[in-house]
Amino acid sequence: MKLTRRVNMFPIIFQIVPKFRAALIKFDVAYPYGEKHEEFTKVSELTRGVQDLLVAEVNVKDYGEKDNAELAEKYDVKMRDFPVLKLFRKGIKEILTYRGEFKADDITQFVKTSTGVYIGLPGCIEQFDALASEFIKIRDKERREELLAQGREMLAKGLDTPKNTEYAEIYLKLMEKIMEKGDEFVLNEIQRVESLRKTKVTVEKRESLQKRLNILQSFVHDELLRSRCIFFSFFRLDIS
């Protein structure tokens, strides 16, 4: 079984990148440390076991033989900007540069949204993510009611943990709110939760808000974003 991996990169490793549906590569100093490096390590842990995704690192030296300096230059990475995250997608020439807040959950959401690779973020349930994705993309009210009923049936059958039951209930409540207030509710709620997350709240509360935000992102799709032209921190990217 292939596992998501974090490895020190050399030019030869880019022969491996095309074998994955997506590859998140961090360009950094030879011996990285600090909060951002720790957050990247969390990304590796969060995505471990995702077979379609490679998580790796290019260590660049500005002294001696200047290991990987040419590789960094090839992908327009400046040492003054370290660490820099580049996202490669199979079959797509454009390489995305992550410009959001350097937090594991935001980075992982960026990868998930930009590639379509399923990554089970904290609070998310795969079968309910699939339900949410189908729900938000259709306009037919009757079909949405059918999907909501399907979700309720899944909940009634029981989930594997009390926490997952709690998260499933959030999915269903969001579906009900969307039917009541329209698709705009999703983006408005994301803004509200983002704002709350940035206030002085307890660690426990911030984690709870992040899980709600992760679930909300399951209801986001490109057409919905274009309708409001809103790009959140994890959608800020450059194409290079």
Side-chain angles (χ1 to χ4, degrees), residues 128-139:
F128 278 87
D129 272 353
L131 202 65
S133 179
E134 183 178 355
F135 179 91
I136 199 64
K137 289 178 182 177
I138 60 175
R139 299 295 182 188

Side-chain angles (χ1 to χ4, degrees), residues 54 59 97 111 118 126 142 147 182 186 197 199 205 227 240:
L54 171 69
N59 299 119
T97 302
V111 174
Y118 182 76
E126 185 170 5
E142 289 187 3
L147 291 172
V186 177
R197 195 177 62 144
T199 61
K205 179 63 174 177
S227 71
S240 54

Side-chain angles (χ1 to χ4, degrees), residues 62 83 165 198 233:
D62 62 350
T165 297
K198 293 175 182 177
S233 60

Side-chain angles (χ1 to χ4, degrees), residues 36-174:
K36 290 184 177 180
H37 180 64
E38 291 172 2
E39 289 296 321
F40 185 72
T41 300
K42 290 178 184 178
V43 172
S44 179
E45 293 169 353
L46 283 169
T47 59
R48 190 175 301 280
V50 180
Q51 296 184 14
D52 288 336
L53 178 67
L54 171 69
V55 177
E57 181 173 330
V58 175
N59 299 119
V60 184
K61 290 183 178 179
D62 62 350
Y63 57 89
E65 295 183 0
K66 297 188 176 181
D67 296 343
N68 295 323
E70 289 185 7
L71 193 60
E73 184 178 355
K74 177 181 178 179
Y75 293 105
D76 195 30
V77 176
K78 312 297 184 196
M79 293 195 72
R80 65 175 179 269
D81 298 326
F82 284 169
V84 174
L85 298 181
K86 294 283 186 177
L87 182 63
F88 297 78
R89 297 169 293 171
K90 191 173 185 177
I92 301 176
K93 291 183 178 180
E94 292 85 2
I95 301 168
L96 304 182
T97 302
Y98 180 69
R99 296 296 187 188
E101 187 176 2
F102 217 97
K103 296 294 183 182
D105 286 332
D106 289 347
I107 294 168
T108 308
Q109 184 63 58
F110 162 75
V111 174
K112 182 178 178 180
T113 304
S114 302
T115 65
V117 172
Y118 182 76
I119 301 171
L121 298 176
C124 292
I125 305 170
E126 185 170 5
Q127 58 266 46
F128 278 87
D129 272 353
L131 202 65
S133 179
E134 183 178 355
F135 179 91
I136 199 64
K137 289 178 182 177
I138 60 175
R139 299 295 182 188
D140 184 72
K141 183 179 178 181
E142 289 187 3
R143 178 55 184 156
R144 283 189 167 184
E145 288 176 345
E146 289 175 1
L147 291 172
L148 178 57
Q150 184 180 331
R152 287 170 176 160
E153 184 177 341
M154 289 162 60
L155 178 62
K157 288 180 179 179
L159 285 91
D160 53 349
T161 68
K163 276 293 182 183
N164 277 345
T165 297
E166 178 186 332
Y167 301 146
E169 289 172 348
I170 294 175
Y171 281 92
L172 298 181
K173 288 176 181 177
L174 290 174

Side-chain angles (χ1 to χ4, degrees), residues 5-18 20 23-30 32 40 54-61 66-69 71-72 75 84 86 88:
R5 64 203 70 178
R6 176 181 168 274
V7 297
N8 290 330
M9 297 285 289
F10 297 95
I12 191 68
I13 205 71
F14 276 87
Q15 295 177 18
I16 298 175
V17 169
F20 292 84
L24 180 69
I25 311 299
K26 177 167 79 81
F27 287 81
D28 208 344
V29 296
F40 185 72
L54 171 69
V55 177
E57 181 173 330
V58 175
N59 299 119
V60 184
K61 290 183 178 179
K66 297 188 176 181
D67 296 343
N68 295 323
L71 193 60
Y75 293 105
V84 174
K86 294 283 186 177
F88 297 78

Side-chain angles (χ1 to χ4, degrees), residues 175-227:
M175 288 181 185
E176 292 170 354
K177 284 291 185 180
I178 292 167
M179 293 189 69
E180 176 187 344
K181 298 186 177 183
D183 292 3
E184 289 286 295
F185 168 78
V186 177
L187 298 182
N188 291 333
E189 182 67 0
I190 287 175
Q191 284 186 308
R192 186 186 73 84
V193 176
E194 279 273 19
S195 296
L196 284 173
R197 195 177 62 144
K198 293 175 182 177
T199 61
K200 291 184 178 180
V201 295
T202 64
V203 173
E204 183 179 353
K205 179 63 174 177
R206 184 171 286 106
E207 289 178 352
S208 176
L209 289 170
Q210 181 62 57
K211 288 173 183 176
R212 184 174 181 85
L213 193 61
N214 291 343
I215 293 172
L216 277 162
Q217 288 304 321
S218 301
F219 290 90
V220 173
H221 62 90
D222 291 343
E223 184 179 341
L224 181 60
L225 285 172
R226 286 195 296 270
S227 71

